[in-house]
């Protein structure tokens, strides 16, 4: 019984994130990746690759921006295990941008996902999170540094449609 139970657990754990197949990276051709491995591989190794319109190897859909499609439609967001960046259910949202100035006058910029350029660190404020906490969290996530907020330059808000 114990051996059979362990075998069942191994099958479930081993198949987690595969979605029924093995996949090949559309950029480098690396193959035999599970859905979750592809979901982690693509932004890790191809963050600076130009935006790609292609056929998604997971769902076989033609997509205009493979990196964004993969990030939001597959892996943990695709299974509902974490939020995708397409938060259509939120009608009003807040966003924190952080200006980090070095004593010598330089301003911190971070490279954005999918080679979208360099920007100030920042991102959406999570539900029940303060603007201050979001600014500190986003800077840590995007730049890897701890910051101390010393002021607020501007506060704006708008609905999803403008």
């Amino acid at each position: 019984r114990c051996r059979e139970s362990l075998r069942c657990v191994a099958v479930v754990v081993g198949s987690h994130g595969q979605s029924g197949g093995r996949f090949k990276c559309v950029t480098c051709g690396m193959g035999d990746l599970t859905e979750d491995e592809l979901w982690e591989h693509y932004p890790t190794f191809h963050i600076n690759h130009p935006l790609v319109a292609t056929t998604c190897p997971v769902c076989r859909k033609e997509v205009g921006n493979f990196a964004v499609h993969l990030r939001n439609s597959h892996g943990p967001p695709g299974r509902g295990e974490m939020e995708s960046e397409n938060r259509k259910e939120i009608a009003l949202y807040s966003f924190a941008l952080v200006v980090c100035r070095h004593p010598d006058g330089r301003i911190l910029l971070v490279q954005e996902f999918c080679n979208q350029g360099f920007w100030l660190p920042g991102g959406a404020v999570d539900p029940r999170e303060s603007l201050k906490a979001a600014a500190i969290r986003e800077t840590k996530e995007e730049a890897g540094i701890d910051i101390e907020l010393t002021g607020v330059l501007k506060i704006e808000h708008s609905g999803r449609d403008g």
Side-chain angles (χ1 to χ4, degrees):
R1 284 183 160 245
C2 184
R3 200 173 281 225
E4 182 61 31
S5 295
L6 288 173
R7 194 173 299 126
C8 288
V9 168
V11 167
V12 170
V13 170
S15 65
H16 181 73
Q18 288 187 21
S19 291
R22 304 294 274 190
F23 307 102
K24 186 165 113 175
C25 176
V26 299
T27 300
C28 68
M30 182 178 198
D32 202 31
L33 299 170
T34 66
E35 181 180 330
D36 283 5
E37 289 168 341
L38 179 61
W39 189 81
E40 292 175 358
H41 165 85
Y42 197 84
T44 302
F45 294 100
H46 306 297
I47 189 76
N48 293 318
H49 192 269
L51 302 180
V52 177
T54 190
T55 301
C56 174
V58 179
C59 65
R60 310 304 304 160
K61 289 182 182 175
E62 291 293 324
V63 295
N65 184 326
F66 177 66
V68 172
H69 168 78
L70 181 66
R71 166 67 179 88
N72 291 312
S73 300
H74 299 295
R79 292 188 301 273
E81 295 171 5
M82 66 182 282
E83 280 191 50
S84 75
E85 293 174 354
N86 300 327
R87 299 183 208 177
K88 294 182 178 117
E89 70 280 359
I90 299 174
L92 183 66
Y93 65 99
S94 299
F95 198 84
L97 286 176
V98 180
V99 178
C100 296
R101 191 175 68 214
H102 192 274
D104 68 9
R106 292 180 295 160
I107 302 293
L108 174 68
L109 298 177
V110 294
Q111 187 169 16
E112 288 296 313
F113 179 70
C114 296
N115 202 27
Q116 299 287 323
F118 290 88
W119 302 91
L120 297 169
V125 178
D126 291 337
R128 294 175 296 286
E129 182 179 40
S130 71
L131 287 170
K132 179 179 179 180
I136 292 168
R137 175 184 54 77
E138 286 288 346
T139 305
K140 181 69 170 182
E141 287 176 4
E142 294 184 3
I145 62 170
D146 294 312
I147 62 165
E148 176 186 340
L149 292 181
T150 59
V152 175
L153 297 176
K154 187 176 190 177
I155 295 178
E156 290 184 19
H157 74 276
S158 65
R160 181 63 79 180
D161 295 328

